[in-house]
Amino acid sequence: SAKQAGKGRAEHYDVMLDERLARRRRLDRDMRQALTDGGFELHYQPQIRLSDESVKGFEALLRWHHDAEGWISPAEIIPIAEATGFIVEIGRWALHKACVDALAWQGRRVAVNISSNHFKLPDFVENVFEVLDVTGLSPQLLEIEITESILLDRSYDVLGNLARLRVRGVRIALDDFGTGYSSLSYLTSFSFDTIKIDQSFIRNLRDRPESAAVVEAVTLMARALSMEVTAEGVEDVEQLNLLLSKRCDNVQGYLYGRAQPLCALPQTLLQIPQYRQDARWVEMPAV
Ligand code: C2E
Ligand code: MG
Ligand code: MG
Ligand code: MG
């Protein structure tokens, strides 16, 4: 009967929910262990300045190889860590590790993702300054990536914290722009150094004129506000050419390179592809 079928579905649903909760608990336990055992790594994805296709810096992205499950995506563990508060431990570790690693990059920046509930801790700004003091990294070489959700929280002095970081010279990037509770007024309430257009707009640049319009609007606005624009998730030359035509400043994506372990970066730097030259060649009339 329909009633029985409904009951069956409900039980099935319960089992799936139980499994998901059990996995979350397991991952929560294992990631605490991983952080103390040195099981976490940071991989680095190049950020390319389009004017000359040079590597301007790298974004630090968390990587975890789980003994039993293999590589586990940050998209799965970051939300768990955010829910338990463990993200603060991860964030402190990542900040320190990224600053140490960046010392070897001869003036290239490092971008570190910081979750809202880490950013809002009263000692966050002091922690950042401590890491800069201890490592000796120039503040101008550190960029903190935050998301718009930070700006919604009125329970603490968000803008004050951002301003203190910036006075010291630390750069601030607004990540995943366009996916949150984007309000243009946020962009004028604080002077960010960089706006990162979310990859969802880049993915369908070719097929959706709306996305191209968003990219154009954001780049124009950013220029008027003296901020840089970085496009995330650039995977092909067609997207690149469109971004060039909109005068986007920087790009990040598989087209130029995926996130790599630290030891692979010297090689990565030698092998960054140069598409702009190629594009000009293609544009030349055939003789
Ligand atoms: P995000 O900060 O927006 O980072 C960009 C994500 O897009 C990364 O995924 C990157 O590997 C991926 N990506 C880069 N280029 C391309 C491309 O061309 N195509 C596609 N399809 N994807 C591309 P990842 O490493 O899986 O990280 C996912 C998210 O997890 C990050 O998004 C960030 O929000 C969070 N995350 C990663 N590491 C950390 C961390 O250390 N701390 C915190 N709080 N969050 C982190
Ligand atoms: Mg990011
Ligand atoms: Mg992003
Ligand atoms: Mg993100």
Side-chain angles (χ1 to χ4, degrees):
S1 72
K3 200 174 164 187
Q4 270 170 336
K7 188 159 173 263
R9 266 204 306 277
E11 275 165 7
H12 180 61
Y13 179 75
D14 283 349
V15 171
M16 290 202 327
L17 191 64
D18 283 349
E19 275 169 13
R20 271 184 42 203
L21 287 174
R23 180 177 164 87
R24 282 177 73 101
R25 271 196 299 272
R26 232 168 30 239
L27 291 180
D28 176 43
R29 184 197 62 206
D30 294 351
M31 74 175 117
R32 286 165 198 272
Q33 197 63 45
L35 191 62
T36 44
D37 292 352
F40 280 146
E41 288 175 46
L42 289 179
H43 285 197
Y44 294 101
Q45 184 176 37
Q47 300 181 318
I48 311 296
R49 176 169 57 205
L50 282 183
S51 60
D52 59 359
E53 290 186 299
S54 63
V55 178
K56 192 162 197 172
F58 293 94
E59 178 175 3
L61 294 161
L62 188 69
R63 294 292 178 263
W64 179 26
H65 192 270
H66 188 280
D67 289 338
E69 320 240 357
W71 293 102
I72 298 184
S73 163
E76 179 170 16
I77 52 171
I78 298 286
I80 300 175
E82 284 175 341
T84 64
F86 189 60
I87 191 66
V88 174
E89 251 67 50
I90 295 177
R92 286 191 179 132
W93 170 81
L95 199 57
H96 183 263
K97 177 83 169 85
C99 288
V100 170
D101 288 353
L103 288 172
W105 295 346
Q106 301 171 327
R108 292 187 180 85
R109 290 178 201 154
V110 66
V112 182
N113 293 283
I114 295 294
S115 296
S116 309
N117 43 1
H118 184 190
F119 185 88
K120 71 186 290 183
L121 292 185
D123 60 354
F124 174 73
V125 175
E126 290 312 319
N127 282 164
V128 174
F129 293 168
E130 249 170 61
V131 170
L132 290 171
D133 291 339
V134 167
T135 61
L137 186 75
S138 159
Q140 289 78 17
L141 297 182
L142 174 63
E143 188 162 75
I144 303 272
E145 293 197 4
I146 57 169
T147 55
E148 296 155 81
S149 61
I150 277 180
L151 302 167
L152 287 176
D153 190 341
R154 296 292 150 126
S155 66
Y156 69 110
D157 187 13
V158 190
L159 299 182
N161 282 0
L162 288 170
R164 284 171 64 213
L165 287 165
R166 262 198 113 212
V167 164
R168 176 84 190 253
V170 175
R171 300 174 56 93
I172 311 285
L174 195 53
D175 202 356
D176 302 343
F177 186 73
T179 58
Y181 305 88
S182 293
S183 158
L184 295 186
S185 68
Y186 289 143
L187 284 187
T188 54
S189 66
F190 183 77
S191 169
F192 295 94
D193 296 279
T194 308
I195 298 173
K196 300 187 75 177
I197 304 179
D198 190 69
Q199 51 189 53
S200 57
F201 297 102
I202 310 304
R203 198 174 301 134
N204 49 30
L205 255 187
R206 193 189 54 195
D207 305 317
R208 294 200 65 215
E210 297 87 345
S211 290
V214 167
V215 169
E216 175 153 26
V218 174
T219 50
L220 284 173
M221 193 175 53
R223 190 161 311 116
L225 298 170
S226 302
M227 302 175 189
E228 282 182 19
V229 176
T230 300
E232 299 192 275
V234 179
E235 293 184 352
D236 60 50
V237 176
E238 208 175 343
Q239 292 164 342
L240 179 70
N241 283 331
L242 221 136
L243 291 163
L244 278 167
S245 75
K246 307 288 183 214
R247 297 180 55 203
C248 175
D249 301 292
N250 313 307
V251 298
Q252 213 182 316
Y254 296 166
L255 181 65
Y256 283 99
R258 293 176 184 245
Q260 304 280 342
L262 181 69
C263 62
L265 297 190
Q267 196 56 33
T268 299
L269 283 171
L270 292 173
Q271 292 174 339
I272 293 290
Q274 303 284 292
Y275 296 102
R276 293 204 59 178
Q277 237 159 354
D278 293 352
R280 270 185 235 117
W281 277 63
V282 171
E283 278 163 22
M284 290 209 304
V287 260

